Amino acid sequence: MLPTSNAPSTGLQRSNMGISKQSLLLGIICFIAGMATESIFGAMSKISVVDSRTSNVESRRYNMLSSSPCQNRTDATTSISRDNSVLNASTTCDCKCNCNQTFLPNEPEIMSISDNKQSNTPARAPIMEETFPKNLQPTYAHQNLQFNVTRSMLRQSRPIVGNTQRLHGYLKKLHIKQCTTVLFLGGSVTDGHNAGGDKNAYPKFFVEWLNAKYPCVKKDGSPGMHEMKKTHAQNSQTHFIHWSMVSEIQEIDLVFIEFNVNDHFIKGIPHALEDKGPDYGGLNEYADCWYSETMLRRLLLLRKPDPIAIVTFSADYIGRSWATADMDPVNARQTLFRYNEEPAKLWISAMYEIPVFSASIWMLPLASKMGTALQFNDSNPYSTSNWHADRCCHPRRPGHLILSMVLAHCMLEEEKEMIGQQSDNVAVEKIERDLTYSGVMRDPIYLSLEEEALYVQNAFDEHVADIDFTDPRGDELWKGYVVSNDGWTWYADNRDNDKFGFIANCTEGGSHIALSVTGGKFGLIELSYVMSYEGFGVSLAWLDGTNDNTNQGQCIKEIKETIVSNVRTKEVEKLIAFWEETASVPTVQILKNKLEEGETKVLHICLTPHNKHVKGTENKFKLLGVRVY
């Protein structure tokens, strides 16, 4: 512990041993020289950005656990310790759950800019007052948040600034009170899974903030509202498949892409038209980047009616690597990168100059910086177990408020930058401009030229058949394609009653469905369905010219070999819907059988009997859609 004094702090303390005048003078000169450099100034600024409500010196000790981890807890005392002397953690709570936490040893007091009483730096408003209008401040009060959020945390939420021309265009719409449409492309985190659904999810909170901060006016002059749109797809791959969910929206001004969690579960690139090489196959990061690039290129070319402002949003991370009681620390360390898609998202976003807003980029370090033991300890308010409502990756409702806060803060910071550039008349090099405004796109990184032509340029072809069973609007959209059905039902099988599909569930197998399909330019037929770890089985698919089930015998015979083989029997292909990963996610299979352009045939799918490799007693197959290129 450093010696302390009751005398007012001057930023320089004389030690008990004394300091020579020469040494003192040299120290002052070095200190002033250091303060004049941008790097030191930036470092000192970062130290001092804690909320002005806690600007005293003591609050700037590295006491992470300033917010109460005991919310909704009834235990009286929690004590945690580690064997080494670097870190000792303890929490003591009385019966009213008033807590004193000290997880880190006292650090030397470091002078911040705000300690210098001669500084002319203007004081900033508390971060809550700066971010939220008065009517929303009670919602974001300290006691309603998962943990205390400081300015320095939020400052880290812009890992990739990107090209902000499109974002500035959106902010200018807000300035002229234009009502806008915000599209959220995401998975179960965006849906508010295990947080109470849409009403407790960050998209709803963010649009509420948008309407409070930037009231808008309709074209007729009456008061209006900014609107939120969402899709029912779950990751980059399913949005790639069901692109019409995006392209059919009439107006889009801003889109947030939130796939940091779900894209981890993409299984290969069945859409690839070239051999990607022997080394990529074991890495789902390559598949993530392939589908992400395709979607970004489509969005950059889309006009609704203007170029759309695009933001990649990293809202969460997968905590499953460490969550189990029998967790293998070596395996957890080795899988950290493979379970976290953020490095891939940052890379592909940077290459396309897409701005990135991120909550996980600072939350994961805060959760894990004191070691794995405390990452899953409830007495640490920043821990993964406190942040997540389950073993996977879903924030609680207070966490969704923080996600909304991250989005709001990043938008406001970019607005300040835009206004500053305008007032300073900042010059921009031609190469810095967003060339995609005029349709100029960089060459693809992961897509071949053939894949670019088929999956990007052809994505805007209205003649591509897209049979989407996930659309909640009902069977009017696709019932004309169904020519025979025996044992398949269209419904939503999840708790929130919003994940629709055509489902067969029969232990004995034999359920059969037939769809009429017509070949497009490329003759490819794509099937999308759900893969899960329990209760999902194997189906067969084939093409012929009749509505009848011509393979009834195979449909009631158990499939013992569950490896998809390149060898086909009577042109019948296996659709395997189970895997070992404890998650239920969409997957895709491109049929090896092709259609000639304009050729019409019948696509058959039948469920086979319960397989010995399937966990559980059910035997389901959930068909999500069929797309013909």
Side-chain angles (χ1 to χ4, degrees), residues 440-517:
V440 177
M441 296 275 283
R442 63 157 296 130
D443 290 340
I445 305 170
Y446 295 91
L447 276 69
S448 68
L449 294 180
E450 187 181 8
E451 290 163 352
E452 163 76 6
L454 172 57
Y455 298 127
V456 177
Q457 305 300 329
N458 194 55
F460 301 95
D461 185 351
E462 297 179 356
H463 298 97
V464 174
D466 184 5
I467 308 171
D468 183 6
F469 297 126
T470 68
D471 196 320
R473 289 178 293 177
D475 63 357
E476 291 297 326
L477 301 172
W478 45 258
K479 68 178 183 180
Y481 294 101
V482 180
V483 295
S484 179
N485 180 14
D486 178 17
W488 293 70
T489 307
W490 180 78
Y491 65 99
D493 60 344
N494 64 320
R495 183 172 58 190
D496 295 328
N497 199 38
D498 59 357
K499 306 288 186 195
F500 287 87
F502 234 130
I503 300 171
N505 191 353
C506 179
T507 305
E508 296 79 16
S511 302
H512 168 260
I513 189 172
L515 305 146
S516 177
V517 291

Coordinates of all heavy atoms in Angstrom, one line a residue, residues 440-517:
V440 N -20.2 0.6 -57.3 CA -18.8 0.1 -57.4 C -18.5 -0.8 -56.2 O -18.5 -0.3 -55.1 CB -17.8 1.2 -57.6 CG1 -16.4 0.7 -57.7 CG2 -18.2 2.1 -58.8
M441 N -18.2 -2.1 -56.5 CA -18.0 -3.0 -55.4 C -16.6 -3.6 -55.6 O -16.1 -3.8 -56.7 CB -19.0 -4.2 -55.5 CG -20.4 -3.8 -55.3 SD -20.8 -3.7 -53.5 CE -21.0 -5.5 -53.2
R442 N -15.9 -3.8 -54.4 CA -14.6 -4.5 -54.5 C -14.8 -5.9 -55.0 O -15.9 -6.5 -54.9 CB -14.0 -4.5 -53.1 CG -14.8 -5.3 -52.0 CD -13.9 -5.8 -50.9 NE -12.9 -6.7 -51.3 CZ -11.7 -6.7 -51.1 NH1 -11.2 -5.7 -50.3 NH2 -10.8 -7.6 -51.6
D443 N -13.8 -6.5 -55.5 CA -13.9 -8.0 -55.9 C -14.2 -8.8 -54.6 O -13.7 -8.5 -53.5 CB -12.6 -8.4 -56.5 CG -12.3 -7.8 -57.9 OD1 -13.3 -7.3 -58.5 OD2 -11.2 -7.8 -58.3
P444 N -14.9 -9.9 -54.8 CA -15.2 -10.8 -53.7 C -13.9 -11.4 -53.1 O -12.9 -11.6 -53.8 CB -16.1 -11.9 -54.3 CG -16.6 -11.3 -55.5 CD -15.6 -10.4 -56.0
I445 N -14.0 -11.6 -51.8 CA -12.9 -12.2 -51.1 C -13.0 -13.7 -51.0 O -12.1 -14.5 -51.3 CB -12.8 -11.7 -49.6 CG1 -12.7 -10.2 -49.6 CG2 -11.5 -12.3 -48.9 CD1 -12.8 -9.5 -48.3
Y446 N -14.2 -14.2 -50.7 CA -14.5 -15.6 -50.6 C -15.3 -16.2 -51.7 O -15.2 -17.4 -52.0 CB -15.2 -15.8 -49.2 CG -14.4 -15.5 -48.0 CD1 -14.5 -14.2 -47.5 CD2 -13.6 -16.4 -47.4 CE1 -13.7 -13.8 -46.4 CE2 -12.8 -16.1 -46.3 CZ -12.9 -14.8 -45.8 OH -12.1 -14.4 -44.7
L447 N -16.1 -15.4 -52.4 CA -16.9 -15.9 -53.5 C -16.1 -16.0 -54.8 O -15.3 -15.1 -55.1 CB -18.1 -15.0 -53.7 CG -19.4 -15.3 -52.8 CD1 -19.1 -14.9 -51.3 CD2 -20.5 -14.5 -53.3
S448 N -16.4 -17.0 -55.5 CA -15.8 -17.1 -56.9 C -16.7 -16.2 -57.8 O -17.8 -15.8 -57.4 CB -15.8 -18.5 -57.4 OG -17.2 -19.0 -57.6
L449 N -16.2 -15.9 -59.0 CA -17.0 -15.1 -59.9 C -18.3 -15.8 -60.3 O -19.3 -15.1 -60.4 CB -16.2 -14.9 -61.2 CG -14.9 -14.0 -61.0 CD1 -14.2 -13.8 -62.3 CD2 -15.2 -12.7 -60.4
E450 N -18.3 -17.1 -60.4 CA -19.5 -17.9 -60.7 C -20.5 -17.7 -59.5 O -21.7 -17.6 -59.7 CB -19.2 -19.3 -60.9 CG -20.4 -20.1 -61.4 CD -20.1 -21.6 -61.6 OE1 -19.0 -22.0 -61.3 OE2 -21.0 -22.3 -62.2
E451 N -20.0 -17.8 -58.3 CA -20.8 -17.7 -57.1 C -21.4 -16.3 -56.9 O -22.5 -16.1 -56.6 CB -20.0 -18.1 -55.8 CG -19.7 -19.6 -55.8 CD -18.6 -19.9 -54.8 OE1 -18.0 -19.0 -54.3 OE2 -18.3 -21.1 -54.6
E452 N -20.6 -15.3 -57.3 CA -21.0 -13.9 -57.3 C -22.2 -13.7 -58.3 O -23.2 -13.1 -57.9 CB -19.8 -13.0 -57.7 CG -20.2 -11.6 -58.1 CD -20.6 -10.7 -56.9 OE1 -20.4 -11.1 -55.8 OE2 -21.0 -9.5 -57.2
A453 N -22.0 -14.3 -59.4 CA -23.1 -14.1 -60.4 C -24.4 -14.8 -60.0 O -25.5 -14.2 -60.1 CB -22.6 -14.7 -61.8
L454 N -24.3 -16.0 -59.4 CA -25.5 -16.7 -59.0 C -26.1 -16.2 -57.7 O -27.3 -16.0 -57.7 CB -25.1 -18.2 -58.8 CG -26.2 -19.1 -58.2 CD1 -27.4 -19.1 -59.1 CD2 -25.7 -20.5 -58.1
Y455 N -25.3 -15.9 -56.7 CA -25.9 -15.7 -55.4 C -26.0 -14.2 -55.0 O -26.7 -13.8 -54.1 CB -25.0 -16.3 -54.3 CG -25.0 -17.9 -54.5 CD1 -23.8 -18.5 -54.5 CD2 -26.1 -18.6 -54.6 CE1 -23.7 -19.9 -54.6 CE2 -26.1 -20.0 -54.7 CZ -24.9 -20.6 -54.7 OH -24.9 -22.0 -54.8
V456 N -25.3 -13.3 -55.8 CA -25.4 -11.9 -55.5 C -26.2 -11.2 -56.6 O -27.3 -10.7 -56.4 CB -24.0 -11.2 -55.3 CG1 -24.2 -9.7 -55.1 CG2 -23.3 -11.9 -54.2
Q457 N -25.7 -11.3 -57.8 CA -26.4 -10.6 -58.9 C -27.8 -11.2 -59.2 O -28.7 -10.5 -59.4 CB -25.5 -10.6 -60.2 CG -24.1 -10.1 -60.0 CD -24.1 -8.6 -59.6 OE1 -25.0 -7.9 -59.9 NE2 -23.1 -8.2 -58.8
N458 N -27.8 -12.6 -59.1 CA -29.1 -13.3 -59.4 C -30.0 -13.2 -58.2 O -31.2 -13.5 -58.3 CB -28.8 -14.8 -59.7 CG -29.9 -15.5 -60.3 OD1 -30.5 -15.1 -61.3 ND2 -30.4 -16.6 -59.6
A459 N -29.6 -12.7 -57.0 CA -30.5 -12.6 -55.9 C -31.6 -11.6 -56.1 O -32.6 -11.6 -55.4 CB -29.6 -12.1 -54.7
F460 N -31.4 -10.7 -57.1 CA -32.4 -9.7 -57.4 C -33.3 -10.1 -58.5 O -34.1 -9.3 -59.0 CB -31.7 -8.3 -57.7 CG -30.9 -7.8 -56.5 CD1 -29.5 -8.1 -56.5 CD2 -31.5 -7.2 -55.5 CE1 -28.7 -7.7 -55.4 CE2 -30.7 -6.7 -54.4 CZ -29.3 -7.0 -54.4
D461 N -33.2 -11.4 -59.0 CA -34.0 -11.9 -60.0 C -35.4 -12.3 -59.4 O -35.4 -13.3 -58.6 CB -33.3 -13.1 -60.7 CG -34.1 -13.6 -61.9 OD1 -35.3 -13.2 -62.1 OD2 -33.6 -14.5 -62.6
E462 N -36.4 -11.7 -59.7 CA -37.7 -12.0 -59.2 C -38.3 -13.3 -59.6 O -39.3 -13.8 -59.1 CB -38.7 -10.9 -59.5 CG -38.4 -9.5 -58.9 CD -39.3 -8.4 -59.3 OE1 -40.3 -8.7 -60.1 OE2 -39.2 -7.3 -58.9
H463 N -37.7 -14.0 -60.6 CA -38.2 -15.2 -61.1 C -37.6 -16.4 -60.4 O -38.0 -17.6 -60.6 CB -37.9 -15.3 -62.6 CG -38.5 -14.3 -63.5 ND1 -37.8 -13.1 -63.8 CD2 -39.7 -14.1 -64.0 CE1 -38.6 -12.4 -64.6 NE2 -39.8 -13.0 -64.7
V464 N -36.7 -16.2 -59.4 CA -36.2 -17.3 -58.6 C -37.3 -17.8 -57.7 O -37.8 -17.0 -56.9 CB -34.9 -16.9 -57.8 CG1 -34.5 -18.0 -56.9 CG2 -33.8 -16.5 -58.8
A465 N -37.6 -19.1 -57.7 CA -38.6 -19.7 -56.8 C -38.1 -19.8 -55.4 O -37.1 -20.5 -55.2 CB -39.1 -21.0 -57.4
D466 N -38.8 -19.2 -54.5 CA -38.4 -19.3 -53.1 C -39.7 -19.8 -52.3 O -40.6 -19.0 -52.0 CB -38.0 -18.0 -52.6 CG -37.5 -18.0 -51.1 OD1 -37.4 -19.1 -50.5 OD2 -37.1 -16.9 -50.6
I467 N -39.7 -21.1 -51.9 CA -40.8 -21.6 -51.1 C -40.4 -21.6 -49.7 O -39.5 -22.4 -49.2 CB -41.1 -23.1 -51.5 CG1 -41.3 -23.2 -53.1 CG2 -42.3 -23.6 -50.8 CD1 -41.4 -24.6 -53.6
D468 N -41.0 -20.6 -48.9 CA -40.5 -20.3 -47.6 C -41.6 -20.8 -46.6 O -42.6 -20.2 -46.4 CB -40.3 -18.8 -47.4 CG -39.7 -18.5 -46.1 OD1 -39.5 -19.4 -45.3 OD2 -39.6 -17.3 -45.8
F469 N -41.3 -21.9 -45.9 CA -42.2 -22.4 -44.9 C -42.1 -21.8 -43.5 O -42.8 -22.1 -42.6 CB -42.1 -23.9 -44.7 CG -42.4 -24.7 -46.0 CD1 -41.5 -25.6 -46.5 CD2 -43.6 -24.6 -46.6 CE1 -41.7 -26.3 -47.7 CE2 -43.9 -25.3 -47.8 CZ -43.0 -26.1 -48.3
T470 N -41.1 -20.9 -43.4 CA -40.8 -20.2 -42.1 C -41.6 -18.9 -42.0 O -41.7 -18.4 -40.9 CB -39.3 -19.9 -41.9 OG1 -38.9 -18.9 -42.9 CG2 -38.5 -21.1 -42.1
D471 N -42.2 -18.5 -43.1 CA -43.0 -17.2 -43.1 C -44.3 -17.4 -42.3 O -45.1 -18.3 -42.6 CB -43.3 -16.8 -44.5 CG -43.7 -15.4 -44.6 OD1 -44.5 -14.9 -43.7 OD2 -43.3 -14.7 -45.6
P472 N -44.5 -16.6 -41.2 CA -45.6 -16.8 -40.3 C -46.9 -16.3 -41.0 O -48.0 -16.5 -40.4 CB -45.3 -16.0 -39.1 CG -44.4 -14.9 -39.6 CD -43.6 -15.6 -40.7
R473 N -46.9 -15.7 -42.1 CA -48.1 -15.2 -42.8 C -49.0 -16.3 -43.2 O -50.2 -16.1 -43.5 CB -47.8 -14.3 -43.9 CG -47.1 -13.0 -43.5 CD -46.8 -12.1 -44.6 NE -45.6 -12.7 -45.4 CZ -45.1 -12.1 -46.5 NH1 -45.7 -11.0 -47.0 NH2 -44.1 -12.7 -47.1
G474 N -48.6 -17.6 -43.3 CA -49.5 -18.7 -43.6 C -49.3 -19.3 -45.0 O -48.4 -19.0 -45.8
D475 N -50.2 -20.3 -45.2 CA -50.0 -21.2 -46.4 C -50.4 -20.6 -47.7 O -50.1 -21.2 -48.8 CB -50.7 -22.5 -46.2 CG -52.2 -22.4 -46.1 OD1 -52.7 -21.2 -46.1 OD2 -52.9 -23.4 -45.9
E476 N -51.0 -19.4 -47.7 CA -51.3 -18.8 -49.0 C -50.1 -18.5 -49.9 O -50.2 -18.4 -51.1 CB -52.1 -17.5 -48.7 CG -53.5 -17.7 -48.1 CD -54.4 -18.4 -49.0 OE1 -54.3 -18.3 -50.3 OE2 -55.3 -19.2 -48.5
L477 N -49.0 -18.4 -49.2 CA -47.7 -18.1 -50.0 C -47.2 -19.3 -50.7 O -46.4 -19.1 -51.7 CB -46.7 -17.5 -49.0 CG -47.1 -16.2 -48.2 CD1 -46.1 -15.9 -47.2 CD2 -47.3 -15.1 -49.2
W478 N -47.5 -20.5 -50.2 CA -46.8 -21.7 -50.8 C -47.7 -22.9 -51.1 O -47.2 -23.9 -51.6 CB -45.7 -22.1 -49.9 CG -46.0 -22.2 -48.4 CD1 -45.7 -21.3 -47.5 CD2 -46.8 -23.2 -47.8 NE1 -46.3 -21.6 -46.2 CE2 -46.9 -22.8 -46.4 CE3 -47.4 -24.4 -48.2 CZ2 -47.6 -23.6 -45.5 CZ3 -48.1 -25.1 -47.2 CH2 -48.2 -24.7 -45.9
K479 N -49.0 -22.8 -50.7 CA -49.8 -24.0 -50.9 C -49.9 -24.5 -52.3 O -50.2 -25.7 -52.6 CB -51.1 -23.8 -50.2 CG -52.0 -22.8 -50.9 CD -53.4 -22.7 -50.2 CE -54.4 -21.8 -50.9 NZ -55.7 -21.7 -50.3
G480 N -49.7 -23.6 -53.3 CA -49.8 -24.0 -54.7 C -48.7 -24.9 -55.1 O -48.9 -25.6 -56.2
Y481 N -47.6 -24.9 -54.4 CA -46.5 -25.8 -54.7 C -46.7 -27.2 -54.2 O -46.1 -28.2 -54.8 CB -45.2 -25.3 -54.2 CG -44.7 -24.0 -54.7 CD1 -44.9 -22.8 -54.1 CD2 -44.0 -23.9 -56.0 CE1 -44.5 -21.6 -54.6 CE2 -43.6 -22.7 -56.5 CZ -43.8 -21.5 -55.8 OH -43.4 -20.4 -56.3
V482 N -47.5 -27.4 -53.2 CA -47.7 -28.7 -52.6 C -48.7 -29.6 -53.4 O -49.9 -29.2 -53.5 CB -48.2 -28.6 -51.1 CG1 -48.4 -30.0 -50.5 CG2 -47.2 -27.8 -50.3
V483 N -48.2 -30.7 -54.0 CA -49.1 -31.5 -54.8 C -49.5 -32.8 -54.1 O -50.4 -33.5 -54.6 CB -48.4 -31.8 -56.2 CG1 -48.2 -30.6 -57.0 CG2 -47.1 -32.6 -56.0
S484 N -48.9 -33.1 -53.0 CA -49.2 -34.3 -52.2 C -48.7 -34.2 -50.8 O -47.6 -33.7 -50.6 CB -48.7 -35.6 -52.9 OG -49.0 -36.7 -52.1
N485 N -49.5 -34.6 -49.8 CA -49.1 -34.5 -48.4 C -49.7 -35.6 -47.6 O -50.9 -35.8 -47.6 CB -49.5 -33.1 -47.9 CG -49.1 -33.0 -46.4 OD1 -48.3 -33.8 -45.9 ND2 -49.6 -32.0 -45.7
D486 N -48.8 -36.4 -47.0 CA -49.3 -37.5 -46.1 C -48.5 -37.5 -44.8 O -47.4 -38.0 -44.8 CB -49.2 -38.8 -46.8 CG -49.6 -40.0 -45.9 OD1 -50.3 -39.8 -44.9 OD2 -49.2 -41.2 -46.3
G487 N -49.0 -36.8 -43.8 CA -48.4 -36.8 -42.5 C -47.5 -35.6 -42.2 O -46.8 -35.6 -41.1
W488 N -47.5 -34.6 -43.0 CA -46.7 -33.4 -42.7 C -47.7 -32.2 -42.3 O -48.8 -32.1 -42.9 CB -45.9 -32.9 -43.9 CG -44.8 -33.9 -44.2 CD1 -44.9 -35.1 -44.7 CD2 -43.4 -33.6 -44.1 NE1 -43.7 -35.7 -44.9 CE2 -42.7 -34.8 -44.5 CE3 -42.7 -32.6 -43.6 CZ2 -41.3 -34.9 -44.5 CZ3 -41.3 -32.7 -43.6 CH2 -40.6 -33.8 -44.0
T489 N -47.3 -31.4 -41.3 CA -48.1 -30.3 -40.8 C -47.3 -29.1 -40.7 O -46.2 -29.1 -40.2 CB -48.7 -30.7 -39.4 OG1 -49.4 -32.0 -39.5 CG2 -49.7 -29.6 -38.9
W490 N -47.9 -28.0 -41.1 CA -47.2 -26.7 -40.9 C -47.6 -26.0 -39.6 O -48.8 -25.7 -39.4 CB -47.7 -25.8 -42.1 CG -47.0 -24.4 -42.1 CD1 -45.7 -24.1 -42.4 CD2 -47.6 -23.2 -41.6 NE1 -45.4 -22.8 -42.3 CE2 -46.6 -22.2 -41.8 CE3 -48.8 -22.8 -41.2 CZ2 -46.8 -20.8 -41.4 CZ3 -49.0 -21.5 -40.8 CH2 -48.0 -20.5 -41.0
Y491 N -46.6 -25.8 -38.7 CA -46.9 -25.1 -37.5 C -45.6 -24.6 -36.9 O -44.5 -25.0 -37.4 CB -47.6 -26.0 -36.5 CG -46.9 -27.2 -36.0 CD1 -46.3 -27.3 -34.8 CD2 -46.9 -28.4 -36.8 CE1 -45.6 -28.4 -34.4 CE2 -46.2 -29.5 -36.4 CZ -45.6 -29.5 -35.2 OH -44.9 -30.7 -34.7
A492 N -45.7 -23.9 -35.8 CA -44.5 -23.4 -35.0 C -44.3 -24.3 -33.8 O -45.3 -24.5 -33.0 CB -44.7 -22.0 -34.5
D493 N -43.2 -24.9 -33.6 CA -43.0 -25.9 -32.6 C -42.1 -25.4 -31.4 O -41.7 -26.2 -30.6 CB -42.3 -27.2 -33.2 CG -40.9 -26.9 -33.8 OD1 -40.6 -25.7 -34.0 OD2 -40.2 -27.9 -34.0
N494 N -41.9 -24.1 -31.3 CA -41.1 -23.6 -30.2 C -42.0 -22.9 -29.2 O -43.2 -22.7 -29.4 CB -40.1 -22.6 -30.7 CG -40.7 -21.4 -31.3 OD1 -41.7 -21.4 -32.0 ND2 -40.1 -20.2 -31.0
R495 N -41.4 -22.6 -28.0 CA -42.2 -22.1 -26.9 C -42.8 -20.7 -27.2 O -43.9 -20.4 -26.8 CB -41.2 -21.9 -25.7 CG -41.9 -21.4 -24.4 CD -41.0 -21.5 -23.2 NE -39.7 -20.8 -23.5 CZ -38.7 -20.9 -22.7 NH1 -38.7 -21.7 -21.6 NH2 -37.6 -20.1 -22.9
D496 N -42.0 -19.9 -28.0 CA -42.6 -18.6 -28.3 C -43.5 -18.6 -29.5 O -44.0 -17.5 -29.9 CB -41.4 -17.6 -28.6 CG -40.5 -17.4 -27.4 OD1 -41.1 -17.4 -26.3 OD2 -39.3 -17.2 -27.6
N497 N -43.7 -19.8 -30.1 CA -44.7 -19.9 -31.1 C -44.5 -19.0 -32.3 O -45.4 -18.5 -32.9 CB -46.1 -19.7 -30.6 CG -47.2 -20.3 -31.5 OD1 -47.0 -21.4 -32.0 ND2 -48.3 -19.6 -31.7
D498 N -43.2 -19.0 -32.7 CA -42.8 -18.1 -33.9 C -41.8 -18.7 -34.9 O -41.4 -18.1 -35.8 CB -42.3 -16.8 -33.4 CG -41.0 -16.9 -32.6 OD1 -40.6 -18.0 -32.3 OD2 -40.5 -15.9 -32.1
K499 N -41.5 -20.0 -34.6 CA -40.5 -20.7 -35.5 C -41.3 -21.7 -36.3 O -41.5 -22.9 -35.9 CB -39.4 -21.4 -34.7 CG -38.7 -20.5 -33.8 CD -37.8 -19.5 -34.5 CE -36.9 -18.7 -33.5 NZ -36.3 -17.6 -34.1
F500 N -41.8 -21.3 -37.5 CA -42.7 -22.1 -38.3 C -41.9 -23.0 -39.3 O -40.7 -22.8 -39.6 CB -43.6 -21.3 -39.1 CG -44.7 -20.6 -38.3 CD1 -44.5 -19.4 -37.7 CD2 -45.9 -21.3 -38.1 CE1 -45.5 -18.8 -36.9 CE2 -46.9 -20.7 -37.4 CZ -46.7 -19.5 -36.7
G501 N -42.5 -24.1 -39.7 CA -41.9 -25.0 -40.7 C -42.9 -26.1 -41.0 O -44.0 -26.3 -40.3
F502 N -42.6 -26.9 -42.0 CA -43.4 -28.1 -42.4 C -42.8 -29.2 -41.6 O -41.7 -29.6 -41.9 CB -43.4 -28.3 -43.9 CG -44.8 -28.4 -44.5 CD1 -45.1 -27.7 -45.6 CD2 -45.7 -29.2 -43.9 CE1 -46.4 -27.8 -46.2 CE2 -47.0 -29.3 -44.5 CZ -47.3 -28.6 -45.6
I503 N -43.6 -29.9 -40.7 CA -43.0 -30.8 -39.8 C -43.7 -32.2 -39.9 O -44.9 -32.3 -40.0 CB -43.2 -30.3 -38.3 CG1 -42.4 -29.0 -38.2 CG2 -42.6 -31.3 -37.3 CD1 -42.7 -28.3 -36.9
A504 N -42.9 -33.2 -39.9 CA -43.3 -34.6 -39.8 C -42.8 -35.2 -38.5 O -41.6 -34.9 -38.2 CB -42.9 -35.5 -41.0
N505 N -43.6 -35.9 -37.8 CA -43.1 -36.5 -36.5 C -43.8 -37.9 -36.4 O -44.9 -38.0 -36.0 CB -43.5 -35.6 -35.4 CG -42.9 -36.0 -34.0 OD1 -42.2 -37.1 -34.0 ND2 -43.0 -35.2 -33.0
C506 N -43.0 -38.9 -36.7 CA -43.6 -40.3 -36.8 C -42.5 -41.3 -36.5 O -41.5 -41.3 -37.3 CB -44.3 -40.5 -38.1 SG -44.9 -42.2 -38.3
T507 N -42.6 -42.1 -35.5 CA -41.5 -43.0 -35.1 C -41.4 -44.1 -36.2 O -40.3 -44.5 -36.5 CB -41.9 -43.7 -33.8 OG1 -42.1 -42.7 -32.8 CG2 -40.8 -44.7 -33.4
E508 N -42.5 -44.5 -36.8 CA -42.4 -45.6 -37.8 C -42.0 -45.1 -39.2 O -41.7 -45.9 -40.1 CB -43.8 -46.2 -38.0 CG -44.3 -47.0 -36.8 CD -44.9 -46.0 -35.7 OE1 -45.2 -44.8 -36.1 OE2 -45.0 -46.4 -34.6
G509 N -41.9 -43.8 -39.4 CA -41.5 -43.2 -40.7 C -42.6 -43.3 -41.7 O -43.8 -43.6 -41.4
G510 N -42.3 -43.0 -42.9 CA -43.3 -43.1 -44.0 C -44.0 -41.8 -44.4 O -44.6 -41.7 -45.5
S511 N -43.9 -40.8 -43.5 CA -44.6 -39.5 -43.9 C -44.0 -38.9 -45.1 O -42.8 -38.8 -45.3 CB -44.4 -38.5 -42.7 OG -44.9 -39.0 -41.5
H512 N -44.9 -38.5 -46.1 CA -44.4 -38.1 -47.4 C -45.0 -36.8 -47.8 O -46.2 -36.5 -47.6 CB -44.8 -39.2 -48.4 CG -44.6 -38.8 -49.8 ND1 -45.7 -38.4 -50.6 CD2 -43.5 -38.7 -50.6 CE1 -45.3 -38.1 -51.8 NE2 -44.0 -38.3 -51.9
I513 N -44.2 -35.9 -48.5 CA -44.7 -34.7 -49.0 C -44.1 -34.5 -50.4 O -42.9 -34.9 -50.7 CB -44.4 -33.5 -48.1 CG1 -45.1 -32.2 -48.6 CG2 -42.9 -33.2 -48.0 CD1 -45.0 -31.0 -47.7
A514 N -44.8 -33.9 -51.4 CA -44.4 -33.7 -52.7 C -44.6 -32.3 -53.2 O -45.7 -31.7 -52.9 CB -45.1 -34.7 -53.7
L515 N -43.7 -31.7 -53.8 CA -43.7 -30.3 -54.2 C -43.4 -30.2 -55.7 O -42.4 -30.8 -56.2 CB -42.8 -29.4 -53.4 CG -42.9 -29.4 -51.9 CD1 -41.6 -29.3 -51.2 CD2 -43.8 -28.3 -51.4
S516 N -44.1 -29.3 -56.4 CA -43.8 -29.1 -57.8 C -42.8 -28.0 -57.9 O -42.9 -26.9 -57.4 CB -45.1 -28.7 -58.5 OG -44.8 -28.3 -59.9
V517 N -41.7 -28.3 -58.6 CA -40.6 -27.3 -58.8 C -40.2 -27.2 -60.2 O -40.2 -28.1 -61.0 CB -39.4 -27.7 -57.9 CG1 -39.6 -27.6 -56.4 CG2 -38.9 -29.1 -58.2

